[in-house]
Amino acid sequence: EEDDANQYTWEADSIEDDADYSDEPVEQVASVGPQVVNNSANTLQRPRREVKAPQCLTMDHRQAAKNWSEARLCEDVELATAFSVEVTNIPIDIAGFDASIFEPAPDNLRVIMKMKDPRVKAAWLKAYHKELKVLVTSGTFSIEPMLEGEVAIPTMETNRVKLQSDGTLDKLKNRIVVRGDLQNKQSIEDKWSPTASFRSLKMFLAHACRLKVRVRQMDFIGAFLQAKVRSRVFIKLPAIYGELFPDIKAHCGVPVRLIKSMYGMALSGKYWYQELQEWLLENGLVQSKVIACLFWKTFEDGSKVYLLDYVDDCLYYGTNDVSLKKFETEISARFDLTLMGQAHWYLSTRIQQAENFDITIDQSRYCLSIVRRYLDTVGCANITREHTTPLPLDFIPTADDNSVDEAAALALSTEYNLDFASCVGALIYLALTRTDIIHAVNKLAKFTRRPGRCHFNALVHTLRYLRDHSYLGVCYYSDMK
């Protein structure tokens, strides 16, 4: 009976409270959420007074319901729609975005025109137009009649998805290249031009570390296009380029003479090296007699600038900021280039420069690509335990374990789904910064002709070791005596 009485009392109080909400004027306050209502004391005992402004979150929804309006909801929907449109219109080919949607890179324009995703297709066409526009505006071509006996060489395109050191998109790169394989093969002119080796790169970084300076990087934009052609060469661009991009139609489908070098030519690399070398020597830099792509200059105050060249990518550093800035100004006035600041990525190698001028280099991304290419598809059991040594402890490298003939070695290669020689060749390049696997790679390389089962098992063990230790590298210390 007492419970029934309490229930009737509660119902009566509730009715009275509802009447309070409907009869008394309520102060309109700005709420910060749909559940923010009056936080005064127990509504059953509160005095008859003006309702206070809400200050906390409660489960009483009635005040929020009274303040709800259709107009505010419409504004929120319109705002959400505007944000949605804004997000979908963001370009997908800018640096830092996901690169997987562009991979694998298309082989040619025909593949691009058949793409189903209009945004990916438009991004690749944009890269094509950018490359062709650079060729035309930089004065690479000259529309001239050919002489008797001269032939116009056709062109082709190459496409590449360039990545940043963290694996995200850097840019979509298109190259219009000359079919160098169709050029006149009767020329006996030397085509050789020097480039930086990995050994010279490590020496260059170690010297910078000893001097306690920051290594910087510059990239020549369309390097080959900045070198003069020193012979008479004609090419012919496909007419389809003119149909897609009307602003360059005059240069498409007709023979044009090359005034500047282009990628793909038999002598384009040499022409560019000669152009850069001549300018560097004219401006007082000295060329190394041992490493032909290494240059340095000594200024009047004794400061020096060093430069290491690999085709269109250069590393450089200076012992004085004023001299370094002067060198950057001079070379920027002569060539079209980008000063990229401190070096982070060179020859597929990550470069990390510490605050105390220590320098660490590693090929972690290349290491992971080797693991994905060879270990993920290997035809044996997947062992997930950690491998702490590059080779099995019981492995003895001996020719006694070789396959009896090359046919038996080929059968093992098929069984393991592993190209022994190709994998060892990839590890040789990786060992340039992985001193911990030098011994293992050296021993395995001796059995590339007729590897046996023991050698295949050892190679798989090395790959598993790299899977578990992919981020090791070489560190140069600035404070070493």
Side-chain angles (χ1 to χ4, degrees):
E1 294 178 358
E2 183 178 355
D3 292 342
D4 294 341
N6 290 338
Q7 179 180 359
Y8 296 145
T9 303
W10 180 87
E11 290 178 353
D13 290 341
S14 298
I15 295 173
E16 182 180 355
D17 289 340
D18 290 340
D20 292 343
Y21 274 100
S22 59
D23 298 337
E24 293 182 1
V26 179
E27 179 182 357
Q28 296 296 326
V29 294
S31 63
V32 295
Q35 296 293 316
V36 177
V37 296
N38 177 39
N39 70 324
S40 56
N42 189 342
T43 56
L44 299 179
Q45 301 176 0
R46 64 181 176 82
R48 298 278 183 174
R49 65 178 182 272
E50 190 174 328
V51 180
K52 291 183 178 180
Q55 297 177 353
C56 71
L57 186 67
T58 74
M59 296 305 296
D60 194 342
H61 64 278
R62 288 173 292 184
Q63 179 66 36
K66 289 178 70 69
N67 291 338
W68 181 87
S69 62
E70 183 74 22
R72 180 172 298 179
L73 177 63
C74 292
E75 291 175 2
D76 292 343
V77 171
E78 292 170 0
L79 186 61
T81 304
F83 278 125
S84 175
V85 172
E86 213 172 291
V87 170
T88 55
N89 288 338
I90 293 179
I92 61 174
D93 58 341
I94 59 178
F97 270 51
D98 180 21
S100 61
I101 59 176
F102 298 104
E103 294 177 332
D107 294 331
N108 49 52
L109 185 60
R110 186 180 300 106
V111 176
I112 294 175
M113 299 305 294
K114 294 181 181 179
M115 287 182 173
K116 296 181 179 179
D117 190 333
R119 296 189 302 163
V120 176
K121 178 181 177 180
W124 279 113
L125 289 178
K126 178 182 174 183
Y128 268 72
H129 185 246
K130 179 181 178 181
E131 172 71 5
L132 290 166
K133 194 70 175 177
V134 169
L135 291 176
V136 174
T137 56
S138 61
T140 307
F141 312 126
S142 174
I143 302 178
E144 299 180 14
M146 293 191 299
L147 302 178
E148 185 178 355
E150 291 181 329
V151 179
I153 307 169
T155 63
M156 59 178 292
E157 61 262 16
T158 62
N159 300 307
R160 181 184 174 192
V161 181
K162 300 193 72 173
L163 305 178
Q164 298 181 354
S165 57
D166 59 356
T168 58
L169 179 68
D170 181 17
K171 61 181 176 180
L172 300 181
K173 185 61 180 176
N174 167 260
R175 277 280 188 226
I176 307 299
V177 300
V178 178
R179 289 287 303 272
D181 57 318
L182 301 180
Q183 276 188 274
N184 184 10
K185 299 299 182 181
Q186 303 301 318
S187 175
I188 60 175
E189 183 179 352
D190 183 19
K191 303 177 179 63
W192 179 83
S193 61
T195 55
S197 64
F198 211 98
R199 178 181 298 179
S200 63
L201 170 63
K202 292 195 287 186
M203 177 208 68
F204 190 79
L205 296 176
H207 187 238
C209 187
R210 177 63 60 87
L211 295 176
K212 294 187 177 182
V213 295
R214 297 297 180 194
V215 180
R216 302 174 181 273
Q217 187 171 4
M218 68 174 69
D219 177 41
F220 292 93
I221 302 173
F224 288 1
L225 308 179
Q226 301 187 52
K228 298 184 295 291
V229 174
R230 310 192 181 199
S231 59
R232 192 175 172 89
V233 180
F234 283 83
I235 67 166
K236 187 175 182 179
L237 297 172
I240 185 65
Y241 294 163
E243 298 177 8
L244 292 173
F245 315 112
D247 54 333
I248 59 166
K249 188 173 183 179
H251 296 82
C252 301
V254 296
V256 292
R257 182 184 175 183
L258 283 182
I259 304 301
K260 297 181 179 180
S261 180
M262 279 187 65
Y263 289 85
M265 293 176 56
L267 296 170
S268 56
K270 182 179 180 180
Y271 289 159
W272 162 245
Y273 173 75
Q274 289 176 338
E275 196 78 19
L276 179 62
Q277 179 194 38
E278 290 173 0
W279 185 89
L280 293 174
L281 295 179
E282 288 175 0
N283 284 266
L285 277 83
V286 180
Q287 183 177 15
S288 171
K289 296 181 180 180
V290 179
I291 305 174
C293 55
L294 175 64
F295 300 84
W296 69 89
K297 180 179 181 179
T298 303
F299 292 84
E300 295 179 355
D301 59 354
S303 60
K304 293 184 178 181
V305 169
Y306 296 84
L307 181 142
L308 184 70
D309 171 54
Y310 187 91
V311 190
D312 59 349
D313 288 325
C314 287
L315 295 182
Y316 67 100
Y317 55 82
T319 58
N320 180 276
D321 290 341
V322 176
S323 302
L324 188 63
K325 185 65 177 179
K326 180 180 179 182
F327 171 75
E328 291 177 344
T329 303
E330 291 175 349
I331 196 170
S332 298
R334 170 59 183 84
F335 298 101
D336 185 11
L337 55 83
T338 301
L339 299 176
M340 304 173 66
Q342 291 191 30
H344 297 285
W345 192 257
Y346 196 73
L347 299 182
S348 298
T349 303
R350 182 171 58 173
I351 303 173
Q352 301 180 76
Q353 304 184 58
E355 184 179 358
N356 63 350
F357 297 101
D358 290 352
I359 298 178
T360 303
I361 59 174
D362 68 80
Q363 297 170 282
S364 55
R365 203 171 81 185
Y366 179 62
C367 178
L368 292 175
S369 69
I370 292 176
V371 171
R372 287 193 296 267
R373 178 179 177 183
Y374 296 104
L375 183 61
D376 291 357
T377 60
V378 74
C380 60
N382 181 23
I383 300 178
T384 57
R385 66 174 176 83
E386 183 180 1
H387 289 61
T388 57
T389 58
L391 285 174
L393 296 179
D394 58 349
F395 175 69
I396 301 176
T398 173
D400 296 339
D401 295 325
N402 282 0
S403 298
V404 294
D405 52 30
E406 294 185 5
L410 181 60
L412 280 175
S413 180
T414 303
E415 177 185 342
Y416 280 83
N417 192 28
L418 180 62
D419 188 335
F420 192 93
S422 173
C423 183
V424 170
L427 295 180
I428 289 175
Y429 187 71
L430 178 63
L432 292 171
T433 59
R434 293 296 299 266
T435 56
D436 54 329
I437 67 170
I438 290 178
H439 174 75
V441 174
N442 183 34
K443 294 303 179 183
L444 293 173
K446 297 179 179 181
F447 309 105
T448 53
R449 184 177 179 184
R450 291 189 292 113
R453 185 175 296 276
C454 179
H455 305 132
F456 271 95
N457 289 334
L459 180 58
V460 172
H461 182 101
T462 302
L463 291 173
R464 288 170 177 161
Y465 170 78
L466 293 175
R467 175 199 62 192
D468 300 332
H469 307 84
S470 60
Y471 293 97
L472 301 180
V474 176
C475 183
Y476 300 99
Y477 297 96
S478 60
D479 58 352
M480 294 292 290
K481 300 293 184 179

